Amino acid sequence: MRVGLIGLGGMGQGLAKNIVAHGFDLWVYDIDPDRVAFAVSRGAQAVASPAEMAKMVDVVEICVTTAEVVQEITLGDDGILAVMTEGAVLVDHTTVSPSHVDLMRDACGEAGVAYVEAPMTRTPIHAERGEVNILFGGEEAQLEQLRPLFDTYAENLFHVGPAGHAIRLKLIHNYIAFANVATFCEGFALAAKEGLDMTKVINIISAAGGKSGMMDLYGQLTLERDFTPHMSLDNAAKDVRYYAEWMAEAGLPSFMADAVHRAYELASELGFGNEGCTAVIKAYEDQTGVTAALPDFA
């Protein structure tokens, strides 16, 4: 299986490392030459363009930021679908939207290419370790064809259901996770403004019903003012936006999603988009005039 990977950001670098480490021939492309050079130093091979890659591999994996970027790479006269060989596979690891998955599946079908939706959960640290979670939507036979590749960088491989189900579950998951972050950041900001002991705030919330996976990951770090972008704020805003748009398309009110998206959007407008998702707290701090931090980090 000859594999190409487009997108060498936080997740893509880890995928590239592990694909090569398990003996696959891998060609890589990214708009950042430094990312390409790093992947090459780990055993990958560089190409000059996505089109060059698409002509020579059996599987093209895409791991970029948005559905719009995926479409720019794949569709149209200059897109890779125009040059991919019939019977090749396009694996989309990007967190996109349900309408994007439908569009790509139809476009790939017309080109004689199999489209696979395989969004991931966990962080770049897990990608580096080969421990991501993959959510797969599609036929069992297709999953088994790709399993040897997925096994190089995934700890868990979940067959969610038919095509389209994986991205829907991924968006629900991400919305709940990022809504939780926005909620505890809002609470932390209010606690700081009211002069509460922030050590007691984090300790007591973490020992009661407010405890959550995202709180465990990021609660303490937020109050230590560590905004390392394991998941950037702009990516969180994008995922919540896709979720809210999907809610509207489904005919359901998105009161909470709209509010959560606005919180991230405001933080991005204030210049915090490239920081970690918990930098959403800075939007609340901008409004309150206080900094939410543990005593040693104030």
Side-chain angles (χ1 to χ4, degrees), residues 172-196:
I172 291 170
H173 166 273
N174 280 20
Y175 166 68
I176 292 171
F178 294 134
N180 183 238
V181 168
T183 300
F184 71 66
C185 283
E186 181 179 283
F188 288 168
L190 180 60
K193 182 172 178 60
E194 294 296 305
L196 275 66

Side-chain angles (χ1 to χ4, degrees), residues 235-278:
N235 272 339
K238 176 263 298 185
D239 291 355
V240 176
R241 173 171 62 85
Y242 286 157
Y243 174 86
E245 291 171 350
W246 173 34
M247 286 279 284
E249 292 167 2
L252 295 173
S254 56
F255 309 127
M256 292 181 64
D258 291 341
V260 172
H261 180 245
R262 180 54 189 150
Y264 283 103
E265 188 178 55
L266 176 59
S268 182
E269 290 169 357
L270 291 169
F272 309 125
N274 291 327
E275 299 186 47
C277 60
T278 60

